[in-house]
Amino acid sequence: MSNKKLSTKALHSGHEVDLTQGTRAVPIYQSTSYVFNDSAHAANLFALSEPGYIYTRLNNPTNDILEKRLADIEGGIGAVVTTSGASAISTALLVLLKAGDHIVASNSLYGGTFNLLNVTLPRFGIKTTFVDPSDPVNFSDAVQENTRVFFVESLGNPKLDVLDLKEISNYAKKFKVPLMVDNTVATPALLNPIDYGANIVIHSLTKYINGNGTVLGGAIIDAGTFDWSNGKFPEFTEPSPGYHGLVYHDALGPAAFIAKVRIEGLRDLGGAISPFNSFQIIQGLETLDIRMKKHSSNALELAKWLEKKPEVEWVNYPGLESSDYYNLSKKYLKKGQSGLITFGIKGGFDSAKTIADNTKLFSLLANIGDTKSLIIHPASTTHQQLSSEDQESTGVSSDLIRLSVGLEDIKDLKDDLELAFSKIDKKVLV
Ligand SMILES: *Cc1c(COP(=O)(O)O)cnc(C)c1O
């Protein structure tokens, strides 16, 4: 399907109906294990000399279709799906890195990822330098002799900063390290990081790709463009004690990384997704293209409307001309700027909390990318344990409200916010 367009791939890639009894929908293969023809067949499967299914922690026909579809849509050569976005990130990094290695990461990251890099991985001897990604040279300046990966979000959550992926990937190439890009907020419907030099793409499938807020999932997609034999990654060029002496680079060539993610990452770390969840994600993926257009157009219209409201202090949406990232979004997010908006409200913490407590269509919860509109006031909820200095440094000011704009009619969404605005203390407006 590689010559087809996104909306076509999202419906067809990876599914050969002849292999599924002609079923038009992708079936759920709810089985933990697969019968071998005989012991020699089993031996061949384990030796990777013959393709086939062994055990659902390693591979599964439903998961396989989702993997092929995601790889095709992102322009990669292979993918592995996992239980959640967080497990996709931890599995990818743990397969790639070892104690003593170093990461250069954007400082504008999803909270869970920030904690993984800042607290959990250092316990295993893997340290991260966080840099301001708005100037790509900061990545170069932070490189050490033991740096082994750059990690960024293409459209940062919750800062909504658009990164100059091309420039950052040029530095990654210069220092011979792979660029890993979390593309969850932009989605492949709006941006393909591989086109700009990303080597590995990560997704939380929980968000826009599934879109219905029903299941968790994650994906690791390999562009197949990184040279693992450049001297910095002996785990790929020397016999692997974890897989009876397999030399990944020699045996698997450009697919060395994604193969290691499956045969060592899924096998040893265990983050395999349920085929039922993959099935649900496939239903969502089928309509990703049209949904992202609508999420983006609804968000742009709402952001422009918010900019005109007397109650609103500031609005941050990369599609607004007032945004610091407007020029980068013209280059990287031409098809739309996704569905997240942050804005600040007059009256600070109290007004913001009042609004989050008084919407009816916007649900107060900690998720993004649902078909239904969502709202959160981080300072009184997800970030309330942080000191006010730490809140500011993570970009979460006390007046900040984050919207994940859904697919409802835009008039109803405006009316819903208008009603919530009417509840704030009018004294703050004068
Ligand atoms: C939600 C999210 C994650 C984590 O994904 P889960 O599926 O919740 O584990 C990672 N990155 C970004 C940008 C996210 O928004």
Side-chain angles (χ1 to χ4, degrees):
M1 288 276 154
S2 51
N3 60 340
K4 299 283 192 295
K5 301 282 189 236
L6 172 91
S7 50
T8 309
K9 290 178 180 180
L11 291 160
H12 294 283
S13 287
H15 184 197
E16 291 177 44
V17 292
D18 300 351
L19 300 180
T20 64
Q21 314 284 358
T23 63
R24 184 56 283 179
V26 174
I28 306 172
Y29 286 88
Q30 197 69 35
S31 182
T32 54
S33 29
Y34 309 84
V35 179
F36 304 128
N37 302 336
D38 52 29
S39 309
H41 176 219
N44 287 342
L45 294 180
F46 280 106
L48 309 178
S49 60
E50 189 182 330
Y53 299 100
I54 298 175
Y55 187 62
T56 286
R57 177 150 37 73
L58 295 170
N59 53 6
N60 168 281
T62 308
N63 296 352
D64 198 33
I65 291 169
L66 177 57
E67 284 164 349
K68 291 198 167 98
R69 196 164 290 184
L70 289 168
D72 200 20
I73 285 173
E74 279 289 20
I77 60 162
V80 164
V81 287
T82 65
T83 48
S84 66
S87 81
I89 295 168
S90 59
T91 303
L93 291 174
L94 290 172
V95 164
L96 193 60
L97 305 174
K98 59 185 179 305
D101 286 348
H102 174 250
I103 302 169
V104 180
S106 157
N107 65 10
S108 170
L109 294 176
Y110 177 69
T113 310
F114 176 75
N115 206 66
L116 173 73
L117 302 185
N118 193 44
V119 179
T120 304
L121 289 182
R123 288 201 280 116
F124 300 93
I126 299 166
K127 297 229 168 79
T128 296
T129 303
F130 294 96
V131 300
D132 174 359
S134 64
D135 188 353
V137 81
N138 292 338
F139 286 84
S140 167
D141 291 346
V143 167
Q144 306 176 3
E145 166 269 320
N146 57 343
T147 302
R148 289 296 176 271
V149 66
F150 286 1
F151 188 96
V152 302
E153 289 178 11
S154 49
L155 178 54
N157 176 14
K159 205 172 165 202
L160 307 181
D161 47 338
V162 183
L163 267 55
D164 195 340
L165 291 179
K166 186 72 210 152
E167 287 295 311
I168 297 168
S169 78
N170 285 342
Y171 286 117
K173 271 199 202 82
K174 179 172 165 201
F175 293 101
K176 300 190 166 148
V177 297
L179 172 63
M180 199 179 285
V181 179
D182 181 336
N183 197 33
T184 299
V185 179
T187 83
L190 304 177
L191 170 66
N192 291 123
I194 291 173
D195 291 347
Y196 300 99
N199 303 104
I200 299 160
V201 176
I202 299 285
H203 280 287
S204 166
L205 305 173
T206 315
K207 312 295 170 57
Y208 289 109
I209 289 184
N210 174 46
N212 296 292
T214 51
V215 297
L216 299 178
I220 303 164
I221 298 153
D222 186 354
T225 49
F226 192 77
D227 176 13
W228 301 104
S229 68
N230 68 13
K232 293 197 163 185
F233 296 89
E235 295 78 16
F236 289 92
T237 52
E238 289 168 12
S240 170
Y243 210 80
H244 44 75
L246 183 76
V247 180
Y248 281 95
H249 176 71
D250 297 353
L252 295 142
F257 173 73
I258 202 69
K260 198 169 196 285
V261 166
R262 185 180 307 285
I263 48 195
E264 295 188 19
L266 286 185
R267 185 198 61 190
D268 301 352
L269 302 171
I273 193 171
S274 156
F276 176 74
N277 290 3
S278 278
F279 168 81
Q280 295 261 60
I281 291 162
I282 288 167
Q283 309 315 303
L285 181 55
E286 291 191 348
T287 59
L288 181 70
D289 196 30
I290 49 172
R291 282 189 291 109
M292 290 318 292
K293 287 184 178 126
K294 181 75 174 169
H295 279 297
S296 299
S297 63
N298 264 1
L300 180 60
E301 185 167 343
L302 204 60
K304 288 181 174 162
W305 179 82
L306 284 167
E307 269 193 323
K308 298 205 187 89
K309 299 299 293 176
E311 298 89 342
V312 171
E313 197 85 66
W314 54 268
V315 183
N316 176 28
Y317 181 71
L320 288 177
E321 280 176 52
S322 60
S323 163
D324 292 345
Y325 308 102
Y326 184 69
N327 287 334
L328 284 168
S329 80
K330 282 270 157 264
K331 173 169 178 187
Y332 289 100
L333 295 166
K334 283 195 277 281
K335 290 190 266 180
Q337 298 81 41
S338 196
L340 304 190
I341 300 173
T342 55
F343 69 97
I345 191 84
K346 287 183 186 155
F349 185 96
D350 292 337
S351 294
K353 190 162 171 286
T354 301
I355 288 171
D357 284 342
N358 282 286
T359 53
K360 300 267 184 296
L361 285 176
F362 282 88
S363 303
L364 174 62
L365 56 76
N367 190 23
I368 58 164
D370 199 312
T371 45
K372 293 132 199 134
S373 287
L374 316 174
I375 187 167
I376 196 135
H377 174 222
S380 65
T381 54
T382 50
H383 289 58
Q384 54 115 359
Q385 284 122 324
L386 298 186
S387 66
S388 43
E389 297 85 67
D390 284 352
Q391 287 190 1
E392 297 293 334
S393 73
T394 51
V396 171
S397 50
S398 60
D399 64 340
L400 180 146
I401 294 172
R402 184 185 69 194
L403 303 178
S404 174
V405 183
L407 305 179
E408 297 91 343
D409 190 277
I410 189 71
K411 161 95 173 43
D412 295 331
L413 294 179
K414 289 176 186 169
D415 288 350
D416 196 44
L417 288 176
E418 192 75 70
L419 185 69
F421 283 179
S422 73
K423 302 282 190 326
I424 65 176
D425 186 347
K426 294 294 169 299
K427 285 201 289 288
V428 304
L429 296 177
V430 290

